[in-house]
Structures are given as structure tokens and as C-alpha cells.
């Protein structure tokens, strides 16, 4: 029974286990070689991928740096251009404001000077003159013996000629003396006649203001005075009388005092006064209007130029290197696990052939093992393991 078991074990070792061990050793060697190759491929893939990714990252950063540099230069250039345009616009507007202000100031000064001159002419234009005569009897214009008051200024200057000539008794409105005049006169009227030594009675005198305006001569009735009362006493029949009138006169008009009755009695102590109350020439002048302040027109056109920025996008940084293929060696199926010896099944008699276990263990040729005879090894003198 021991011999059969040993033979079964020997057959199992030779025919199943030993070939499986050889197959397994070959599989392990092939797996080792394949593992080294795969590792080299992975390292090569990793190196190439990292180099390619590093190149892409470097190029991307370079592109970003170039775009940033270009954008900064564009911003600086456009900002400088915008600033210069704005500065020029500001200078032009400042010049426009200064010119407008200078023009308006000169205009205001000129108008103020004109208005001041108008006020000065108004304030320095005055006419006031009075003349007197001791007596007057004939019909016609009263002549005067003297001028006892004369103050005449036209725009601050005296007139070229006398305004009231005592010899002619006429007052002539001077140039620039247009206006409203107050004209007054007074007289002592002798109301009783005849006088001693006179053959016929005489009428009391009648006085009135006469004006000559061009070809038009007017005796102003509102200015008339006369008297019809008295006593038979040549020294006590004198009646004092006076009258005043207001006329609107122009330059060249003539004013005089007229006695309009024929054969009139003597009149005494005559006075004649002309006074410019209100100059109409100056008052009729259109006063210079002072200019109204207005905002100058400024150039506010937009000069801003938008800088053109370069956009950039980050590309795909992934590596384009193909991944290595990882293959696993295919191992042939083992026979030993399916062996009847391992599984514990019955032993086939054809399987139980004579087998030399020593040949299996010692590695002797298979034909020795199959016949069950193994030659004894020769032993050298003096050698042995003690078991003969």
C-alpha cells in the first residue's frame, strides 16, 4: 500500500505539479518583464505629458504676459491721447471764456461810460436868464436895459452866443437846450390917462409872451396881463402884475415879451425870466441798456477714445500623448488543481504505472522513471552518507 501511494505521489509530481510549477515560473517571468516594460512606458508617458503640459503652460503664460503688456501700453497710449485732447479742449474753453469775458467787459464799460455821459449831460444842462427894463410904452417887443441873471450851460459848456439879447429882447433856445421852459414876467401897469400935457387918452398896456417856432409865431393868450382900474392920480394908478407860462421849446425857438396894444400907457419895472425846467433832449435819449450776462458757448464735444483691449483664452492644457496600453500575460490553466490525487477521487489503474520516484526527485531521464529501474550512483572511495 505504501508503494502505491508513493507512486501516486510521484506521478502527481511529475505529470501535474511539476509542469504547473514550470508554467507558473514562466508566467511570473513574463509578468515581470511585462511589468518592467509597462513601468517604462508609464514613465515615458508621464515625462512626455509633463513636458508637453509645461510647454503649453509656458506658452499660455507668455501669451497672457504679452496681452497684459499690450493692454497696458494701449491704456497708457489712449489715456495720454485722451488727456492731451482734454487739456487742449480745456485751454480752448479757457481762451473762449477769457475772450467772451473781455468782450462783454469792454461792452459793459462802453455802455456805462455812455450812460454816465448821458447823466452828466443831463445834470450839466441848465438855462436860467432874467432881464429888466425900467419902462416900455410902444407896441412891440420889449427891449431890456440889462440882464441881471444869466446861468446857461449846455452839456457842461456855455453856449457859443448869448441866449437873451437885451437889444432885441428875444430869447433864443440854444442848441442842446430843448426842453420844458418856465417863462415869467412882471410889470407895473399905468391904468389912468390922459396925462398932463397929452391931448388924447391912452389905453392901458397889454402884455403877452410871444414865441417864434420856425415860421410860426404865436401870441400866447394865457400869458396876457392888463389892468383897467385906477384913480385920477398919475402917481397912484400903477398896478403891479405878473404872469407865468410853461412851454415846450426846441433849439432855435424864439421867446419874447410883447406889448400888443396901440397907444398904450407907459409900463414900468418890467422883468422877464426864462428857466429850463426839464431838458427834453436829454430825457428823450434812449438810455444805453447794460448787457445781460450770458454763459459763453463752450466746446463740450466728447473726445474720449476707448482703448482696444486684447482678450485671451486659456487653451486646453491637457497632454495629447497617448496613454500606454497595459497588457497582462495570459496564464495557461493549471492541471494540478483538477488532479484526482488533489481532488481525492479514485485512482485509475491505467494511471498507476511503475514510476521511479528517485528519477522524479533527482531529475533522471524520463525513460528511467517509466521502467521503474534506476541505476545506482557510483560512489567514490571514502565517501558516503553512512547508509549502505
Amino acid at each position: 500500500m505504501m508503494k502505491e501511494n508513493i507512486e501516486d505521489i510521484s506521478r502527481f509530481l511529475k505529470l501535474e505539479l511539476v509542469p504547473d510549477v514550470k508554467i507558473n515560473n514562466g508566467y511570473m517571468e513574463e509578468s515581470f518583464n511585462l511589468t518592467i516594460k509597462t513601468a517604462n512606458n508609464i514613465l515615458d508617458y508621464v515625462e512626455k505629458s509633463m513636458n508637453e503640459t509645461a510647454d503649453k503652460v509656458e506658452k499660455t503664460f507668455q501669451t497672457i504676459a504679452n496681452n497684459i503688456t499690450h493692454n497696458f501700453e494701449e491704456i497708457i497710449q489712449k489715456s495720454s491721447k485722451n488727456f492731451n485732447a482734454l487739456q487742449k479742449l480745456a485751454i480752448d474753453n479757457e481762451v473762449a471764456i477769457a475772450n467772451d469775458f473781455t468782450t462783454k467787459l469792454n461792452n459793459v464799460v462802453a455802455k456805462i461810460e455812455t450812460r454816465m455821459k448821458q447823466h452828466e449831460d443831463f445834470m450839466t444842462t441848465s438855462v436860467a436868464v432874467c432881464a429888466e427894463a425900467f419902462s416900455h410904452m410902444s407896441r412891440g417887443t420889449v427891449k431890456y436895459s440889462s440882464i441881471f441873471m444869466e446861468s446857461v450851460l449846455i452839456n457842461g459848456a456855455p453856449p457859443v452866443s448869448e441866449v437873451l439879447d437885451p437889444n432885441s429882447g428875444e430869447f433864443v433856445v440854444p442848441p442842446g437846450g430843448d426842453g420844458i421852459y418856465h417863462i415869467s414876467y412882471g410889470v407895473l401897469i399905468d391904468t389912468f390917462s390922459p396925462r398932463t400935457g397929452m391931448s388924447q387918452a391912452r389905453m392901458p398896456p397889454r402884455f403877452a409872451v410871444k414865441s417864434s417856432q420856425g415860421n410860426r409865431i404865436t401870441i400866447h393868450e394865457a400869458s396876457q396881463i392888463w389892468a383897467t382900474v385906477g384913480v385920477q392920480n398919475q402917481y397912484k394908478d400903477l398896478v403891479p402884475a405878473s404872469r407865468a407860462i410853461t412851454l415846450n421849446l426846441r433849439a432855435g425857438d424864439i421867446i419874447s415879451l410883447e406889448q400888443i396894444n396901440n397907444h398904450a400907457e407907459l409900463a414900468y419895472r418890467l422883468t422877464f425870466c426864462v428857466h429850463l425846467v426839464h431838458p427834453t433832449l436829454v430825457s428823450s435819449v434812449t438810455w444805453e441798456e447794460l448787457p445781460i450776462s450770458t454763459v459763453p458757448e463752450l466746446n463740450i464735444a466728447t473726445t474720449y477714445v476707448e482703448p482696444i483691449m486684447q482678450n485671451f483664452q486659456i487653451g486646453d492644457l491637457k497632454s495629447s500623448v497617448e496613454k500606454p496600453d497595459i497588457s497582462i500575460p495570459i496564464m495557461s490553466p493549471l492541471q494540478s488543481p483538477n488532479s484526482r490525487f488533489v481532488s481525492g477521487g479514485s485512482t485509475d489503474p491505467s494511471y498507476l504505472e511503475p514510476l521511479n520516484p528517485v528519477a522524479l526527485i533527482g531529475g533522471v531521464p524520463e525513460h528511467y522513471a517509466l521502467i521503474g529501474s534506476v541505476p545506482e550512483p557510483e560512489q567514490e572511495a571514502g565517501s558516503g552518507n553512512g547508509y549502505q
Side-chain angles (χ1 to χ4, degrees), residues 229-297:
V229 295
V231 295
Q232 293 182 359
N233 188 323
Q234 60 178 346
Y235 301 107
K236 296 182 179 179
D237 61 351
L238 300 179
V239 177
S242 65
R243 201 65 182 263
I245 190 172
T246 302
L247 298 177
N248 188 3
L249 303 178
R250 294 185 178 181
D253 291 350
I254 300 174
I255 301 297
S256 61
L257 180 61
E258 297 291 320
Q259 200 287 113
I260 57 179
N261 280 343
N262 293 321
H263 308 290
E265 267 288 358
L266 280 172
Y268 304 94
R269 305 295 297 178
L270 294 94
T271 58
F272 178 71
C273 292
V274 180
H275 178 217
L276 176 62
V277 179
H278 182 70
T280 57
L281 180 64
V282 176
S283 61
S284 63
V285 172
T286 301
W287 297 103
E288 287 288 344
E289 293 291 338
L290 297 181
I292 300 175
S293 178
T294 57
V295 178
E297 294 183 1

Side-chain angles (χ1 to χ4, degrees), residues 125-130 147 149-153 159 163 274-276:
T125 298
S126 63
V127 177
V129 60
C130 290
I147 296 176
M149 197 275 288
E150 183 176 17
S151 176
V152 180
L153 290 175
V163 294
V274 180
H275 178 217
L276 176 62

